[in-house]
Amino acid sequence: MTPDDAQAALDDIRKRHEQSRAAEVRHSSSPFHLAVLASVVLLSYASFDLPNPWNGAMLFPVVALLALLAFVHVRRAPVLRQPSSGELLGGVAAGIALTAVLQGLASAARAVGMPTPHLVAAGIGAAACLVLAGPVCRGAEALAQRAHRQS
């Protein structure tokens, strides 16, 4: 194998890796995925305003939605690849930031005197997830491509 053949093979591997990452991002940011995730945010956080037996019962539809999302994600994924540690860390950071924002919104709604502060915060959070998910996914993809090109 000549050095040119090896370089061509490496370039092809990099190209296929970028194509699989782009396909994964397109699949993960589909309208179905975003709607299910927004529903999970809405149901799980709004349940804090319900009386005692019902707030725990909301765990079942949330778990069912997450199971449906996982099943559809695996069955319809054009490419199955393991997320990198940076992607996992970014997802955890986004979850922590979303929780902090929702808690701040609920505290502000409670201070204003709203009867259901968590429902208001959950509605705003779900809408924000729907609006911001697409640009965030595209930005993360651009950062991943830039980091991959530099390595």
Side-chain angles (χ1 to χ4, degrees):
M1 176 177 266
T2 66
D4 291 335
D5 292 339
Q7 185 62 44
L10 285 174
D11 291 341
D12 190 46
I13 290 171
R14 287 187 184 111
K15 178 183 171 188
R16 299 292 181 208
H17 183 70
E18 288 178 14
Q19 287 174 342
S20 67
R21 179 172 289 163
E24 179 76 22
V25 168
R26 276 192 310 275
H27 177 66
S28 297
S29 62
S30 70
F32 173 76
H33 280 76
L34 297 179
V36 170
L37 288 174
S39 299
V40 165
V41 168
L42 183 67
L43 287 174
S44 61
Y45 207 76
S47 69
F48 289 132
D49 290 332
L50 294 174
N52 196 4
W54 294 108
N55 61 1
M58 290 307 292
L59 179 66
F60 296 115
V62 168
V63 169
L65 282 172
L66 289 174
L68 172 71
L69 184 67
F71 178 76
V72 168
H73 182 75
V74 170
R75 295 292 293 173
R76 293 191 179 173
V79 176
L80 289 177
R81 69 172 188 86
Q82 294 289 333
S84 69
S85 59
E87 291 169 339
L88 290 174
L89 188 60
V92 169
I96 290 171
L98 178 65
T99 302
V101 167
L102 289 176
Q103 191 61 36
L105 287 171
S107 297
R110 189 178 304 114
V112 171
M114 296 257 184
T116 56
H118 291 96
L119 178 63
V120 171
I124 293 170
C129 286
L130 287 174
V131 170
L132 295 176
V136 167
C137 286
R138 286 190 295 275
E141 174 62 24
L143 285 175
Q145 285 179 353
R146 186 175 305 141
H148 183 68
R149 286 183 193 138
Q150 290 176 354
S151 62

